[in-house]
Every structure is written in C-alpha cells, then in structure tokens.
Amino acid sequence: DGIEIYSYGLDFNTTCLSQVETLVNGFNSNPAIDNLPSDGTDVINALDPTNHVDTDGDGLSDRYEDYLGTNSLLADTDGDGLKDGEEVHTYETNATNADTDGDGLKDGEEVHTYETNATNADSDADGLNDGDEIHTYGTNALSTDTDGDTLSDADEINIYDTNASNMDTDGDCLLDSHEVLHYETNASNEDTDNDGVVD
C-alpha cells in the first residue's frame, strides 16, 4: 500500500484493488485482487506477512528491495556504510550509489564522519566540493571561511592563492584579507616589495 500511495500516488482501495483489504483475528479474509492485471504492475497484498520479509535486516522488505533495485541479501547494497533502509527512509540518498552527490566522499562518511550533506556536493556552498575541502585543501566543508579571515575558502584557493586554513598565509602579521583587499600586498609573500622589511 505504501508503494502504491507514495510512489504511484494512487488510492489503493479504489484505483488498484477490486476490494478493500481487511485483517480479522490475524487473518486476511479479504485479500487484494488486482483490478488491472495487464497494466504491468502487480498488487502486493499489504496484509500478507510473507510480503514483508526483510532477509538482510536493513529495514526494507525483500519485495521493496526488488522494486528499488537493491540487494535483499545485503544490508548495504552499495557498500557506503549506510544500511539501505537508512538511505531510503532517513537520509534520502541513493542506496545503489555509494556517493550520491558525487563529491568524492561515501554517503556513510558524510553522515557519520564529516556530518556533511550526502545529497549536496558543496555542503557549505562556498564553491568547493566537500571531498576536495577534506582531502585536498584541508578546509572545513561546513564553513565557508575556515580560517576566519573574511575571505571565502574558494576565493583563497581559486583567486588569491592563499592558505584557506591559515588567516596569515605568509606569517607577516597581516591578515590575508587585509593584504589583498586593503593594502594590495602579496598575502603569500611576507615582503611584497623585497625591501628587506616584512609587510
């Protein structure tokens, strides 16, 4: 019934079935009958316990896993560290793709280790994808300005060529943002004019 209602938007008692399902004393005396047997879909009797077997214990019935294309014998079909049921019901990630958002991090890593959004490649919307921030640049994928110098991580990396994890890249006692926005000095060189005196 849930598949019919939520996936197909159908009223299961009138559109799909010729009669209403009922359960009396643990027995379904009025099983579902497919109203449209040749439409390419099958009615799943929601009150038949054999339709709710969850062989791998992942929170999805075997029948539902067949429908989704996941493996009913593996709790984590794509090997990303999240059970298929968690992916479908909790995180809304793709249970057949280990990296739903394509950012280079497995969905399980994003959820359990980095607390980033597994369905958004750039969780903090700073212009750098989460995987690059964590594995390449060493920046915080949940902060647009890791070092707090008022320059976004993406600007430091892509425009100013400064260290987005260090507010004073060249160690000259001037913030990177002050150098590039106010003094027009080189934030990666402590002595921009090479006169022997640090900026």
Side-chain angles (χ1 to χ4, degrees):
D1 294 344
I3 295 172
E4 291 171 342
I5 293 169
Y6 297 115
S7 299
Y8 298 107
L10 303 174
D11 178 343
F12 68 95
N13 278 332
T14 58
T15 307
C16 294
L17 309 180
S18 60
Q19 57 192 14
V20 177
E21 295 186 68
T22 57
L23 189 66
V24 179
N25 296 324
F27 176 71
N28 185 6
S29 60
N30 198 18
I33 297 173
D34 194 335
N35 233 3
L36 303 168
S38 61
D39 67 353
T41 62
D42 294 320
V43 169
I44 297 173
N45 183 348
L47 299 177
D48 181 349
T50 62
N51 287 329
H52 302 283
V53 172
D54 180 5
T55 302
D56 56 14
D58 63 359
L60 300 175
S61 70
D62 292 355
R63 289 290 298 266
Y64 193 35
E65 293 215 56
D66 289 342
Y67 167 75
L68 294 173
T70 52
N71 188 332
S72 61
L73 300 177
L74 290 175
D76 180 6
T77 297
D78 56 13
D80 64 358
L82 297 176
K83 288 185 177 181
D84 295 342
E86 293 178 308
E87 296 213 54
V88 172
H89 297 303
T90 305
Y91 303 111
E92 298 181 355
T93 50
N94 185 338
T96 61
N97 182 344
D99 181 9
T100 297
D101 58 11
D103 63 359
L105 301 173
K106 288 186 177 182
D107 295 341
E109 289 179 301
E110 296 215 52
V111 170
H112 297 303
T113 304
Y114 304 114
E115 298 181 358
T116 49
N117 185 337
T119 61
N120 183 341
D122 183 6
S123 295
D124 57 9
D126 65 357
L128 301 172
N129 92 23
D130 297 341
D132 288 343
E133 290 215 55
I134 291 166
H135 294 304
T136 303
Y137 306 119
T139 52
N140 184 343
L142 295 173
S143 172
T144 59
D145 180 11
T146 299
D147 57 11
D149 63 359
T150 73
L151 297 175
S152 75
D153 293 345
D155 284 352
E156 293 211 54
I157 290 165
N158 297 322
I159 298 173
Y160 304 116
D161 195 30
T162 52
N163 184 339
S165 298
N166 183 344
M167 62 176 54
D168 180 10
T169 299
D170 56 11
D172 63 359
C173 296
L174 292 175
L175 291 178
D176 292 343
S177 58
H178 291 175
E179 294 211 56
V180 301
L181 299 176
H182 302 295
Y183 304 118
E184 298 182 3
T185 51
N186 185 341
S188 296
N189 182 346
E190 66 177 8
D191 181 8
T192 300
D193 59 7
N194 294 313
D195 64 357
V197 179
V198 299
D199 298 339

